[in-house]
Amino acid sequence: MKINRRGLALGAAGLALPGLARAQSGTIKFGFTAALTGPFNEFGEGINRGAQIAVEECNKAGGINGRMVELAEVLDDQLVPDRAVQNLRRILDNREIVGLMCPSGSGPTLAIADMVQADGRPIINPQAQTPAIVYPNGLDKPPRPNLFSVSIGNLVESEKLAAALSQFSRIGILHESTGYGVTGADLVRKAITGRKPDARVTVESYNQRAQDMTAQLVRVQRANAEAMLVIGLGADFAVIRRNMSRLNMNLALYGAAGAVTVPYIEGAGDLVAGTRAVNHAAFGRRPMHPAAQKFADLYRAKFGTDRWYGPDAANPLISLAGTVGSGYDCISLLIDAIRRAGSTAPRDMIGALDQTRDFEGATVRRVSFTPENHVALKLEDLGTYEMLKRGDRVVLELRD
């Protein structure tokens, strides 16, 4: 297990907030576990990069009441739930950590959610989509009191996908066999049949990292599907798309937000053209809203036009929002809560997060929380995109 410790401490004096520094000294410490390496590292290393940018931005502005902020514990779990649990135990043993970010992915996040709730320190979810992460007892019951989310949730994503897919009468859904995939597929199926009761929906599952999905695809093909949705991650979606090509499957192809990422483009190449997907609208609109543009500029200044950003300086990849921007928003929200609370005590930070109103995020334009609502992203924050080839580049163009 790779351990990656970063302490980013820059800047000088900051805003004076009464009571914040009382009985406190040193840096303000955050921590998290994520998939920093392995086949799905676009998510974990992505949120790590976003977190670094948020920390550096805060410290260059003078920190909080003259105290710098720091990523004191950043551990690698490779998207494996058991590793995430081990890492979180280590992080929670560090009583200097005042705020956390959830792991990359629903599996690891579900594995650690009860631990963090029992601990009581605030944690914000950048990517995991399963509703039970925030609302373990059902959507009509209160959320976990210390867990907040800026992620694209299965609920809103399923509504957006159903709106696009309900134009078809026969639809295939191919999903990974994780909580994210199972929940997402069930919600999309229900949303489609709610809109179009006579729609025929064929549902198939696969295991993450499987190297062949031909059997599942043949069953979708035999059902005469006109369109297919993949709910999974980019590396697996690339395998599916190559399998489809060998089977000469020509149907309308859709991907969930987690599927249409850099590994899909890298693994499927020119075959990605025509794929449609739901993702954050923030990076597809022109002009981008100010917080999204500021984040994109900060990322490019630090990391350049790399794998996460893409080769076009003026147009970052849409997936940069969910893989990096969400990490930036999580740490920025924790920093904002400490500033408003004038305290790093868990109860005070959670109280401030519950009173967040219209916070300008990079991925969610206006983040608001209440004690009853700990989910920031709304249907209007999503867009439907189509992947197109422009010369030697793949671009996602916003359709609605």
Side-chain angles (χ1 to χ4, degrees):
M1 178 171 57
K2 176 183 174 183
I3 297 177
N4 184 3
R5 295 174 178 274
R6 290 179 174 84
L8 304 175
L10 306 168
L15 296 174
L17 293 176
L20 178 62
R22 205 175 297 157
Q24 299 174 346
S25 61
T27 58
I28 295 170
K29 295 179 170 62
F30 302 123
F32 60 94
T33 174
L36 303 177
T37 63
F40 305 120
N41 83 309
E42 74 270 18
F43 298 101
E45 178 56 24
I47 60 174
N48 180 33
R49 289 175 177 223
Q52 289 180 45
I53 293 171
V55 164
E56 290 180 353
E57 181 184 26
C58 175
N59 288 340
K60 286 177 182 176
I64 308 173
N65 197 33
R67 295 178 67 191
M68 302 296 99
V69 297
E70 173 188 2
L71 299 179
E73 297 275 6
V74 179
L75 309 184
D76 183 15
D77 58 45
Q78 293 195 333
L79 208 71
V80 177
D82 287 347
R83 290 187 183 181
V85 169
Q86 294 169 11
N87 289 351
L88 242 293
R89 286 194 182 116
R90 172 177 180 147
I91 292 170
L92 293 176
D93 282 344
N94 184 347
R95 301 309 302 178
E96 293 185 345
I97 300 293
V98 302
L100 302 102
M101 183 162 60
C102 288
S104 41
S106 290
T109 301
L110 283 168
I112 62 89
D114 287 342
M115 293 169 56
V116 177
Q117 181 175 343
D119 175 85
R121 277 172 278 187
I123 184 167
I124 305 182
N125 168 40
Q127 294 172 336
Q129 295 190 230
T130 307
I133 288 165
V134 180
Y135 294 96
N137 301 312
L139 297 172
D140 59 336
K141 301 293 191 301
R144 297 183 195 270
N146 60 326
L147 198 154
F148 301 79
S149 181
V150 298
S151 172
I152 297 177
N154 280 149
L155 283 168
V156 289
E157 184 180 52
S158 66
E159 287 298 324
K160 192 73 173 178
L161 286 167
L165 288 164
S166 57
Q167 65 182 292
F168 303 101
S169 297
R170 299 181 303 279
I171 301 151
I173 299 176
L174 186 53
H175 66 88
E176 62 178 47
S177 57
T178 62
Y180 158 58
V182 172
T183 303
D186 186 53
L187 288 169
V188 173
R189 179 186 59 79
K190 289 177 178 176
I192 291 170
T193 55
R195 286 172 171 266
K196 192 169 187 174
D198 60 343
R200 180 179 173 186
V201 182
T202 302
V203 180
E204 296 286 338
S205 69
Y206 64 89
N207 295 325
Q208 279 185 344
R209 307 185 191 185
Q211 293 306 301
D212 188 88
M213 285 79 154
T214 301
Q216 295 95 322
L217 290 170
V218 166
R219 288 191 286 271
V220 171
Q221 195 174 41
R222 286 175 181 166
N224 294 316
E226 302 166 292
M228 189 174 73
L229 166 67
V230 175
I231 303 176
L233 305 183
D236 294 332
F237 196 10
V239 174
I240 292 167
R241 186 66 188 90
R242 293 196 302 269
N243 289 167
M244 289 176 63
S245 179
R246 286 195 288 271
L247 291 169
N248 197 30
M249 288 182 71
N250 297 310
L251 72 175
L253 183 60
Y254 289 76
V260 187
T261 55
V262 172
Y264 177 53
I265 298 171
E266 293 173 342
D270 289 349
L271 294 173
V272 304
T275 304
R276 295 203 173 199
V278 165
N279 214 314
H280 293 90
F283 282 21
R285 292 175 177 148
R286 292 294 180 274
M288 287 191 283
H289 70 266
Q293 185 65 64
K294 180 183 74 169
F295 163 74
D297 293 342
L298 288 169
Y299 186 92
R300 193 173 61 254
K302 182 174 177 62
F303 295 107
T305 52
D306 64 358
R307 180 175 184 246
W308 280 264
Y309 189 95
D312 186 348
N315 297 291
L317 292 173
I318 303 303
S319 59
L320 184 70
T323 56
V324 184
S326 55
Y328 170 83
D329 281 346
C330 286
I331 300 301
S332 297
L333 280 161
L334 289 170
I335 290 168
D336 178 68
I338 294 170
R339 282 190 175 127
R340 288 187 290 111
S343 170
T344 56
R347 180 181 297 179
D348 295 335
M349 290 178 64
I350 292 166
L353 284 166
D354 275 334
Q355 296 172 25
T356 301
R357 301 291 183 272
D358 293 330
F359 176 90
E360 289 284 334
T363 58
V364 180
R365 182 162 188 176
R366 292 183 178 87
V367 177
S368 294
F369 297 123
T370 69
E372 297 76 30
N373 176 33
H374 282 188
V375 174
L377 186 131
K378 302 171 289 298
L379 192 61
E380 56 263 33
D381 295 312
L382 294 179
T384 304
Y385 294 87
E386 183 176 0
M387 302 185 87
L388 303 170
K389 283 284 289 184
R390 291 284 168 80
D392 60 348
R393 296 176 181 174
V394 174
V395 298
L396 270 75
E397 285 198 355
L398 187 64
R399 294 307 189 199
D400 67 72

